[in-house]
Structures are given as structure tokens and as C-alpha cells.
Amino acid sequence: SAVISQKPSRDICQRGTSLTIQCQVDSQVTMMFWYRQQPGQSLTLIATANQGSEATYESGFVIDKFPISRPNLTFSTLTVSNMSPEDSSIYLCSVGVHLRAEETQYFGPGTRLLVL
Amino acid sequence: SQQGEEDPQALSIQEGENATMNCSYKTSINNLQWYRQNSGRGLVHLILIRSNEREKHSGRLRVTLDTSKKSSSLLITASRAADTASYFCATVITGGGNKLTFGTGTQLKVEL
């Protein structure tokens, strides 16, 4: 199984600023994903981070607000831009892996963000 | 809207008892997976069941899938305090690539 780390683990930020979250995997993976989990809620997919091309965003999420980089097969970043208190959430990255010939995902520990 | 709805939203049981959580979904799926999340941390993959399977076991976990009813259940037998966590079902929708769509989750509390 892949070992995934995220930095920072948590942060408190002022509104109007931006934060970049890093996701590092210990092996090369094709698919990487970014999720948001608002307080007390389930996970919502923000985008799929594609290596060598632009990320694919889900409905309701845009590149200007959540720019994503994927420079290689082991690393990705998510930036939360021009933050507001509504962006306070846990942000999680995941990687796609094959399990019993099926696709599944393993998750990083998450980044807990509080915007004041 | 989210693919999966789970019930109950919260469940409190005594150690040693069994815990059952249910998940319903809306469209055709390739597989359904269950994850555990401790205290708002990362998710841990528990078990995957394919659309052509009806039941799977892993240790104290038993998962069933009824595609005719578009529902699944997760049973944790002989629960322990360490099982206290949030449990989420997630589906891979047919034709949806490998994207996961998560349910609303069940908060399980196992008391000593």
C-alpha cells in the first residue's frame, strides 16, 4: 500500500490569504485526487490531479480558487486561494491504487484549515 | 447531491455488541467501499465489494450488497472502544472512471 503524507497537518489563516497544501506519495501513482471535508460533513471531490496536464475539476470547484499542480508521479499541491471562513475544512489528498483488480483510493492524513 | 445516504447518522453501543450501518445509493455501480475515519483524520480503507458480489468478510467486518435495492450494510461484530470512528461508504459509479462518491457517514461510538 502507498504511504501518503501531507503538509501542513493544520493551519490557521487570515481571510484573503492563500495556502498551499502538499501531498507526497512514497511510490509513483497515476491518479491523485483532492477532497474537501467541511465540518461534520462527508468528503467532496474537488479535482483529479493529472500528471503533465491540467487538473480535472468537479462541478462547483474552479481552478482560480483551487489551483492544483502535479509536477510528477509522486507529488501534488492544492492551493486554497483568497480564503474566507467558508473554506475552513479538512483537505485530503488520495491516490488511486489497484485492489483485487478494482480501483480504490488510499488517503493522506489530511490538512485541517481554519480561516479567521 | 451525494450518491450515498447512510443511516443511522449516529450510533452508540456498548463494547462487545454488534454495530450495523446501512448505505443506500442512487445509480449503477462498479463497486462499493467502506472507509473509517478517526477524529477528522485521514480515511482508512476497510473493505471493497464488487457489484457482482453479495457478501464479503474481513476479520470482524461483514459487508453485504444488494444491487436490486441499491443498498449495502456494514456489520462490525464484537465491537471495541477502538472502533469508535466515523464510517463512510463510497461508490465507484459505472462509467464514472475511478472516482469515489461518498455517503453521508455514520458516527459510531463504542462505550466501555
Side-chain angles (χ1 to χ4, degrees), chain A residues 31 33 35 37 40-45 48 58 90 92 96 99-110 112, chain B residues 2 30-31 33 35 37 39-45 48-50 53 56 88 92 98-105:
Chain A
M31 306 298 293
F33 306 88
Y35 290 82
Q37 185 178 26
Q41 303 295 314
S42 186
L43 281 75
T44 301
L45 181 64
T48 302
E58 297 300 305
I90 300 172
L92 300 109
L99 183 68
R100 297 176 60 229
E102 295 278 350
E103 286 282 346
T104 186
Q105 294 176 26
Y106 288 160
F107 284 79
R112 189 182 293 267
Chain B
Q2 288 190 335
N30 287 343
N31 64 65
Q33 303 170 40
Y35 286 84
Q37 185 180 38
S39 302
R41 301 181 66 182
L43 274 71
V44 175
H45 184 272
L48 178 155
I49 186 166
R50 294 192 181 106
E53 296 176 319
K56 275 193 65 66
F88 295 92
V92 174
N98 48 17
K99 293 193 295 185
L100 288 174
T101 303
F102 280 84
T104 52

Side-chain angles (χ1 to χ4, degrees), chain B residues 55-69:
Chain B
E55 187 171 312
K56 275 193 65 66
H57 296 257
S58 177
R60 293 184 295 114
L61 305 180
R62 173 180 170 252
V63 169
T64 63
L65 179 65
D66 187 335
T67 53
S68 67
K69 295 181 180 177

Side-chain angles (χ1 to χ4, degrees), chain A residues 50-111:
Chain A
N50 304 306
Q51 197 268 331
S53 64
E54 270 194 9
T56 304
Y57 289 84
E58 297 300 305
S59 175
F61 297 96
V62 295
I63 188 172
D64 289 346
K65 176 68 177 176
F66 296 103
I68 287 171
S69 78
R70 178 85 195 272
N72 57 52
L73 293 175
T74 63
F75 187 78
S76 178
T77 67
L78 168 76
T79 299
V80 187
S81 304
N82 188 25
M83 289 183 285
S84 67
E86 293 70 35
D87 294 319
S88 297
S89 294
I90 300 172
Y91 291 86
L92 300 109
C93 71
S94 72
V95 301
V97 296
H98 279 91
L99 183 68
R100 297 176 60 229
E102 295 278 350
E103 286 282 346
T104 186
Q105 294 176 26
Y106 288 160
F107 284 79
T111 295

